[in-house]
Amino acid sequence: MYLKKALKEFTIIRNTIFWIDIVGEGQNQDAIFARPFNEKDAFPQKLTSKKYNIKNNFHGYGGKSYTCVDFKNNFYLIWIDQFSKAVWFQIFKEISSNDRSQNKYLDTVQEPRQLSKSIEGNFDSSFVISEKNFLYGICEINNRDYLFSLNLKNTKQDINLIKKFKNFAGDLSSNNSASLMSWIEWDSPYMPWEKNELFFAQIDFNGEIKKIKKFSNNLVNAHKNVSFFQPHWISENLLVCSEDSSGWWNLLFLDVSEIESIFIKKRVERNMIEYGAPQWVSGITFFSGTIKNLFCLAKKETNFILEQYKDLVCVKELSTPFTEVSDFSVFEKKVVLKGYGSDFLENLLEIDFTKKVSSNFFEAINFEYIKYCSKPESFWFKGFEDKSTHSFLYKPLIERFRKPPLFVRAHSGPTSFFDGSYNSEVQYWTSKGFFVAEVNYGGSSGFGKVYRERLNYKWGIVDSYDCKALALELLKLDLVDSEKVVIFGNSAGGLTALNCLSYGSIFTAAICKYPVIDLEDMHYNTHRFEKDYLNSLVGDYAKNHDDYVNRSPINKINKIKKPILLFHGKKDSVISYKQSLEIQEKLIRNNKYSEVIFFENEGHGFKNIENKEVVMQKSQEFLKNALNI
């Protein structure tokens, strides 16, 4: 019997959908499954039979962990296995519908084979296959990224390092013949969404790199910092990506017929629309398909739109009810995606555009709406320097108090955002009579580059100010109880929350998970991907050392007398739990209701369901005492 556990990473090739799910009792064993498109009730075929931990740890945060390529009339399945620390490979062929036995849709052409030797490093899954049976990819070894190749005919081979990148690289892709490749690179002191470079390479018949060219254009990136997002080939010579030179990630079509003279085929410039997002993980997809049928996602205000392009012309734009989209994949006119909304949970959609798809297609879908929930309301207020700042408000579902307590939530990142998707924690608190506000403080994504850059050199100032400004605005509107204002923050949001307690007396208490407490410690000890993140958020460490000290909550703990509840995992590689351990005694001494709770087997972001239940239970007990309710 197949029990759905954690279906993720959906891909469509021809008429087959692939995905990953957990198998076995533990959380570390996965398998790749398949079934026919638009047959959700079909029993899945398990493709990977051995024990694998199919996972991508590239740059610390990982991303998609396998690739399926339609190659030589077969399915070439390539995945990253953490048990063997290697790349694996298997070939399948499609079984005709007439010959299918029960629950079997693909036949094995070649048994699974470990392509690479184990490495002390990380692979990305943006794999490319050439006609000469070479597999190309990007790996991370000893704090440096490399372009590598493997021979698909060999087993447990040393990876052939072709190019050593200056620092970071990602988003490897190629045209169908693999005669042209592309990737992005970025270097200190920038994060990939702040500034990166788009590169192209010409590959000769023997699979060797013949020429490498960096894209530079006066209209785009010759004179300013620009971030390119998801270069994707739509024909042998045409590539689509997005770039943010206009202040928004907008579409850019490039002609690479001559690598020495790459030119812009078309630009689509639209304000208030984002065809991209910060590249925290690899494999984020906003574009999929070919020049004949290219489908693009974009964030428009608080919801996504889906566009269809034919020969670079937009022929259809569909509004969706989705506040978040993942697992976007296209083959010809078949579209697969997972959508999330404010009043429904994750939905897997399989759309066949060979049939007529009307402009109100999504309105006709009968989602399983959650009737008893508080829906988010967009609310704009004046934040730091009187700039218009966004938030979502969730009103209480029951009248339990004369005036409801206010819970202000600061998101992580800090280059992240709240999108209004259904959140069980938010709904739990509103069902108990609390008013919840989610703050997209200056620096949040989804509102353009200028909005995102508000936080530059001002982390610990703008974010905390905006949270306080929203709370004051809601108090001014007489919507909440001024004596019961609590701030929540995880990771970077923890720094925001703890700093809020030291700025005046408006906040009554704080609850934080794995918070950033010490910016100096983060500068020296965080993982490679975020090593230089603080350069733009706070400033150069040597020149701005005082800011690192002054904005670190660890240096203000003695002044904070209000109750604080902290949770931290002892396997956190991003923010060491020792930061929370260091302030534990001081917090408890400053307020009898303060508490610090550690989880032995959690990292940066809690996974264990039982631990999540402990967090909610402890939070409830803490608030009962801290707010006297």
Side-chain angles (χ1 to χ4, degrees), residues 193-377:
W193 53 84
E194 295 173 333
K195 180 189 177 184
N196 61 35
E197 306 284 358
L198 176 59
F199 283 84
F200 292 89
Q202 208 168 33
I203 310 298
D204 67 18
F205 189 69
N206 294 315
E208 300 294 323
I209 290 182
K210 193 175 176 182
K211 193 175 290 182
I212 294 176
K213 180 74 174 178
K214 182 172 79 172
F215 175 72
S216 180
N217 185 280
N218 287 330
L219 294 175
V220 181
N221 67 329
H223 308 293
K224 62 172 77 173
N225 291 351
V226 168
S227 170
F228 293 93
F229 179 86
Q230 199 212 326
H232 170 75
W233 293 85
I234 57 174
S235 74
E236 279 298 290
N237 300 313
L238 287 176
L239 175 138
V240 66
C241 63
S242 62
E243 52 82 18
D244 64 356
S245 62
S246 68
W248 301 82
W249 270 301
N250 281 177
L251 291 180
L252 177 70
F253 295 91
L254 298 177
D255 190 310
V256 199
S257 299
E258 298 290 336
I259 197 167
E260 289 293 347
S261 55
I262 301 165
F263 66 91
I264 296 172
K265 188 78 171 177
K266 184 175 183 177
R267 292 179 84 189
V268 179
E269 293 186 83
R270 302 176 71 182
N271 285 336
M272 312 298 288
I273 291 182
E274 293 263 56
Y275 294 86
Q279 302 95 323
W280 279 101
V281 297
S282 65
I284 304 173
T285 302
F286 273 54
F287 329 118
S288 191
T290 66
I291 188 170
K292 294 298 180 187
N293 277 292
L294 173 68
F295 291 85
C296 300
L297 289 171
K299 192 74 177 283
K300 187 177 183 180
E301 296 177 352
T302 57
N303 283 39
F304 274 88
I305 58 171
L306 175 62
E307 297 176 332
Q308 182 184 14
Y309 285 78
K310 290 179 180 288
D311 296 316
L312 312 191
V313 176
C314 184
V315 296
K316 195 180 291 277
E317 179 183 312
L318 302 177
S319 298
T320 82
F322 303 134
T323 52
E324 182 187 348
V325 172
S326 68
D327 299 53
F328 182 52
S329 180
V330 173
F331 190 86
E332 294 177 348
K333 291 187 177 181
K334 300 182 182 79
V335 176
V336 173
L337 61 86
K338 280 203 291 192
Y340 308 77
S342 58
D343 55 355
F344 56 85
L345 300 176
E346 165 194 306
N347 275 267
L348 177 67
L349 268 71
E350 301 167 43
I351 312 167
D352 190 350
F353 276 81
T354 57
K355 300 171 183 175
K356 187 177 180 182
V357 177
S358 62
S359 57
N360 65 345
F361 171 81
F362 289 99
E363 295 174 21
I365 297 176
N366 186 26
F367 294 111
E368 289 186 23
Y369 290 101
I370 301 166
K371 293 177 182 177
Y372 189 66
C373 73
S374 179
K375 291 187 180 181
E377 299 174 20

Side-chain angles (χ1 to χ4, degrees), residues 90-105:
Q90 189 169 357
I91 304 175
F92 296 89
K93 68 177 181 181
E94 204 166 27
I95 301 173
S96 69
S97 54
N98 295 329
D99 297 332
R100 282 180 191 165
S101 60
Q102 191 177 12
N103 309 331
K104 192 171 181 182
Y105 320 106

